[in-house]
Amino acid sequence: KPAEQKHPKEPSSLECMHLAVVACGDRLEETLIMLKSAVLFSNRRLCFHIFAEDSLKPEFEKKLKEWPSSYTKKFESIFYPITFSVGNAQEWKKLFKPCAAQRLFLPVILKDVDSLLYVDTDVLFLRPIDDIWHLLREFNSTQLAAMAPEHEIPKIGWYSRFARHPYYGSTGVNSGVMLMNLTRIRSTHFKNSLIPGGLTWEEMLYPLYQKYKNYITWGDQDLLNIIFYFNPECLYVFPCQWNYRPDHCMYGSNCRGAEEEGVSILHGNRGVYHDDKQPTFKALYEVIRDFPFEDNLFQSLYYPLQSKFLDTVHTLCGRIPQVFLKQIEKTMKKVYENRVIVYLGANHRH
């Protein structure tokens, strides 16, 4: 009897949504604000997989415990040390930013997790994670990961101008927001430039790094681009509003999806939450950081955000405030309506 074909499970609605982040160095506050944005708006339960240096773990645990119970009951958090299963740990640790390469090993470490959303620490959710989690259902039979393009316009994109290694598509992909079906990743043999028969994910990582290490600039993101260059059928590409970065507005607005629907996930790369180069990004970060959990979302989050945005209209990104506000306004209305309906329902029963 031939072996039965095992199909990866459909993510069940009862399971929690798995979110992974890697935090090293001075990224504690940024990571907490990202997790806060996830908890504020999500509907289903969340499982946080936090990979952190040992020195950060006690502070993480302390801060998360300080959140009000109405929010802490929406998630569980699991902490992991930084570990690399193949090759030289010190080499991996130094690749690009401290510990960033950890994300390449998630399929190997999280053996019991079926699907996962990985995000960089400098990401903010402006709508429920549930909405990007649903994209897992849109994968066809060969797709096992999803990312957004690195750029919308090839002639000003980084990869199309400077890359000295293979990359996906015409502009490469950005790995700051990456949705993964880990079950499929673990069971796939990937085509590559090393051996003709294909390699598993874990077998491929170190030899690939060895082959291209003198040509890569953006560390783990470049390795992912190389992998999906050889395996384009494995990647689902989602639109730019799911990974919206300063590049999408600092040279003029070039993310049509965000213009139409608003930004879904904000990615403040280039350190823009912490300097004054992109005040719109900084405004969103600060408003979510300072939001008192139990307060009214419109009063204590949306209105302060609107007034902060008035000070940014002289900047290229600030000229299009509706791009940043549209989705978050929609999300807040939903959260508010759900609470009112729950409240009315509870009162009605008495």
Side-chain angles (χ1 to χ4, degrees):
K1 185 181 161 191
E4 277 178 34
Q5 193 61 34
K6 274 178 74 179
H7 286 288
K9 300 193 301 286
E10 266 276 286
S12 114
S13 58
L14 298 170
E15 286 172 20
C16 64
M17 300 178 290
H18 294 272
L19 179 69
V21 65
V22 178
C24 284
D26 57 1
R27 297 299 182 114
L28 178 89
E29 183 196 70
E30 213 173 66
T31 307
L32 285 163
I33 310 307
M34 180 277 288
L35 297 173
K36 183 179 182 180
S37 73
V39 169
L40 277 179
F41 302 132
S42 67
N43 301 314
R44 258 173 54 201
R45 191 172 165 69
L46 291 159
C47 289
F48 296 148
H49 300 271
I50 301 167
F51 290 80
E53 289 170 306
D54 298 341
S55 57
L56 294 181
K57 188 185 166 199
E59 190 62 14
F60 260 120
E61 289 179 320
K62 176 173 161 282
K63 293 281 191 213
L64 290 172
K65 280 198 183 91
E66 287 168 7
W67 290 2
S69 64
S70 56
Y71 285 95
T72 55
K73 67 171 191 258
K74 288 176 71 174
F75 68 90
E76 60 181 277
S77 44
I78 309 153
F79 289 85
Y80 305 83
I82 302 292
T83 48
F84 306 98
S85 64
V86 289
N88 176 332
Q90 283 316 104
E91 248 183 310
W92 283 122
K93 207 162 177 181
K94 292 201 292 274
L95 181 64
F96 189 46
K97 287 186 180 148
C99 315
Q102 179 70 73
R103 139 247 313 266
L104 296 170
F105 294 89
L106 297 176
V108 183
I109 299 166
L110 302 175
K111 285 187 168 41
D112 298 328
V113 177
D114 175 58
S115 295
L116 179 80
L117 177 64
Y118 164 88
V119 293
D120 286 348
T121 58
D122 52 8
V123 153
L124 292 169
F125 294 95
L126 305 187
R127 68 190 283 182
I129 288 191
D130 311 58
D131 297 341
I132 189 167
W133 194 254
H134 290 321
L135 295 179
L136 285 163
R137 296 191 193 144
E138 294 191 13
F139 284 16
N140 68 23
S141 60
T142 58
Q143 289 165 337
L144 45 75
M147 288 184 271
E150 170 64 24
H151 219 287
E152 297 302 299
I153 303 164
K155 61 171 187 286
I156 52 175
W158 194 90
Y159 284 106
S160 32
R161 290 186 298 161
F162 306 117
R164 295 158 60 209
H165 59 76
Y167 56 88
Y168 177 87
S170 58
T171 58
V173 278
N174 181 283
S175 58
V177 179
M178 185 175 178
L179 195 57
M180 294 183 255
N181 183 322
L182 299 182
T183 306
R184 286 186 178 181
I185 290 175
R186 286 186 285 262
S187 62
T188 298
H189 276 73
F190 292 87
K191 298 191 288 293
N192 57 80
S193 55
L194 306 159
I195 63 162
L199 291 166
T200 66
W201 185 266
E202 192 176 16
E203 287 167 345
M204 171 174 64
L205 290 176
Y206 196 59
L208 208 58
Y209 165 66
Q210 287 297 339
K211 176 167 180 176
Y212 291 104
K213 66 180 178 185
N214 297 327
Y215 305 102
I216 58 183
T217 308
W218 307 112
D220 50 316
Q221 175 171 296
D222 289 349
L223 284 175
L224 289 165
N225 266 286
I226 294 165
I227 290 168
F228 291 111
Y229 166 84
F230 290 107
N231 301 271
E233 71 288 351
C234 293
L235 191 66
Y236 175 100
V237 179
F238 49 67
C240 47
Q241 66 266 31
W242 293 103
N243 184 347
Y244 189 90
R245 304 179 299 285
D247 295 52
H248 289 120
C249 51
M250 60 195 268
Y251 309 115
S253 179
N254 62 36
C255 172
R256 189 172 302 148
E259 288 173 22
E260 289 165 6
E261 291 179 31
V263 173
S264 297
I265 295 179
L266 192 76
H267 182 183
N269 62 346
R270 306 171 180 259
V272 293
Y273 296 148
H274 314 292
D275 61 26
D276 295 316
K277 291 191 180 125
Q278 299 296 340
T280 42
F281 282 77
K282 191 180 186 181
L284 263 156
Y285 178 78
E286 289 178 348
V287 165
I288 293 174
R289 180 192 67 195
D290 300 340
F291 173 68
F293 270 104
E294 305 278 49
D295 275 19
N296 175 297
L297 279 168
F298 276 101
Q299 235 167 339
S300 306
L301 204 153
Y302 190 68
Y303 297 135
L305 191 57
Q306 279 187 316
S307 61
K308 267 184 190 264
F309 267 36
L310 290 175
D311 301 332
T312 71
V313 290
H314 61 286
T315 66
L316 271 171
C317 292
R319 284 194 317 200
I320 44 170
Q322 69 286 3
V323 164
F324 294 88
L325 295 171
K326 196 181 280 189
Q327 197 54 248
I328 201 166
E329 183 181 11
K330 211 189 285 182
T331 299
M332 283 184 195
K333 281 190 176 138
K334 259 192 204 139
V335 170
Y336 181 70
E337 280 162 14
N338 289 348
R339 281 199 194 146
V340 169
I341 291 162
V342 167
Y343 178 75
L344 286 176
N347 279 357
H348 197 67
R349 284 194 295 276
H350 290 318

